[in-house]
Amino acid sequence: MAISAAAVKKHGVTEQCANPLSIDNFFSKEQFAGLEELMYPKRAEAGSYLFWEGDPTGKLYYLRSGKVKLRKSTEDGKDFILSIIQAGDMLCEPEDGMRAVHSFSAEVVEDADIGVIQWKDLEILLYRNGEFAVRFLNWMALLHRVTESKFRDLLLYGKPGALASTLIRLANSYGIACADGIRISIKLNNTELADFIGTTRESVNRMLNALKDEGTIDIRKGRIIILNLNALRRICHCPACPACPKEVCRI
């Protein structure tokens, strides 16, 4: 469907959402070039795993292309989706002196080109370049704010609020303006949406049908189109900017 200028203006999204969490946004060209010098290339096919929960840490993964789904399992066998990261994102779970294993798994869902960095090599760069270290900390602080805001939305306003928040975050991360709303470009089934908010597929199906009946969303060819973004914001009591900018409201 053609993208109209009116739709872009109304919903405040571009034709394809940029990635404000792309780590190269936080560094100068020279600093990011120094980071790239530490990377060695890795190709990962869809369906493979970069690592499993419980594997040793010690590496960082910069996505040049593709998508990776971060999964967390519980002792009783439940599976949660923490995030779906995209090109420009860096996957970083540094050793903290107490734990040296990954707390989640990283599943490749779209063929990916990756730059891998050894944490020990990055530490040397951080020690040697104070400005680079500060900017790296700024990036990690923003990731912490994203995680913190997700917990807020998942805990405070029930499953409808959690689903509404997830749809808004998906729109900010993968939304494309179309004539009548925002189309989420990645295809997610109801089970995957349920794994984002810790509920059942049947519950998500009922909530999505209710949102469709209200005219808040539509689903076409397996992809969700948000028709009324403000209605979703009301459900999850979405705070207005600058309290929760789009850089934070990401999936």
Side-chain angles (χ1 to χ4, degrees):
M1 183 177 294
I3 299 170
S4 68
V8 172
K9 181 178 179 180
K10 175 181 177 182
H11 297 285
V13 293
T14 56
E15 180 173 341
Q16 174 67 60
C17 282
N19 180 8
L21 292 181
S22 179
I23 194 168
D24 62 332
N25 293 337
F26 291 78
F27 299 103
S28 67
K29 290 183 179 180
E30 294 76 14
Q31 289 170 335
F32 186 70
L35 187 64
E36 285 190 304
E37 289 178 1
L38 302 179
M39 300 180 188
Y40 62 86
K42 177 181 176 66
R43 178 73 177 171
E45 296 182 353
S48 64
Y49 279 76
L50 297 181
F51 54 81
W52 292 86
E53 186 174 346
D55 284 351
T57 56
K59 296 177 182 178
L60 299 88
Y61 301 87
Y62 173 70
L63 254 68
R64 301 184 189 278
S65 65
K67 293 182 177 66
V68 174
K69 185 184 297 180
L70 309 184
R71 290 185 172 274
K72 173 71 177 177
S73 299
T74 63
E75 291 183 358
D76 57 358
K78 292 182 180 179
D79 214 22
F80 292 89
I81 299 176
L82 302 178
S83 182
I84 301 176
I85 64 173
Q86 58 184 305
D89 286 329
M90 178 173 281
L91 183 50
C92 171
E93 195 174 16
E95 299 177 11
D96 56 14
M98 295 177 289
R99 174 178 48 82
V101 297
H102 286 290
S103 59
F104 53 82
S105 301
E107 177 191 1
V108 181
V109 294
E110 184 180 285
D111 290 352
D113 286 314
I114 299 168
V116 183
I117 301 174
Q118 297 287 342
W119 178 254
K120 59 183 180 181
D121 293 334
L122 178 64
E123 280 188 325
I124 295 172
L125 183 57
L126 293 171
Y127 281 129
R128 290 177 175 175
N129 190 322
E131 183 182 350
F132 179 92
V134 170
R135 294 193 180 196
F136 188 83
L137 286 174
N138 289 340
W139 170 72
M140 293 196 70
L142 182 57
L143 292 187
H144 179 73
R145 285 189 64 192
V146 172
T147 302
E148 187 179 66
S149 69
K150 286 181 183 179
F151 281 127
R152 176 200 65 203
D153 293 344
L154 290 173
L155 295 173
L156 293 185
Y157 302 110
K159 298 308 180 186
L163 178 61
S165 168
T166 298
L167 294 176
I168 292 171
R169 291 174 186 278
L170 286 167
N172 287 338
S173 301
Y174 297 104
I176 300 175
C178 58
D180 50 359
I182 305 169
R183 179 170 60 88
I184 297 173
S185 61
I186 59 173
K187 185 181 291 186
L188 297 170
N189 58 42
N190 290 1
T191 298
E192 290 171 312
L193 286 173
D195 288 344
F196 269 112
I197 64 176
T199 191
T200 64
R201 178 184 60 81
E202 292 78 12
S203 294
V204 166
N205 188 54
R206 287 193 296 269
M207 289 187 286
L208 288 177
N209 285 334
L211 292 173
K212 286 177 64 178
D213 292 341
E214 296 165 2
T216 302
I217 69 166
D218 196 7
I219 300 177
R220 303 170 191 168
K221 296 182 179 180
R223 286 182 170 81
I224 296 173
I225 297 177
I226 297 175
L227 306 176
N228 189 341
L229 190 61
N230 287 329
L232 292 178
R233 287 172 173 160
R234 287 192 292 270
I235 294 171
C236 63
H237 301 258
C238 184
C241 290
C244 185
K246 284 188 176 181
E247 289 80 8
V248 172
C249 189
R250 311 285 293 180
I251 200 64

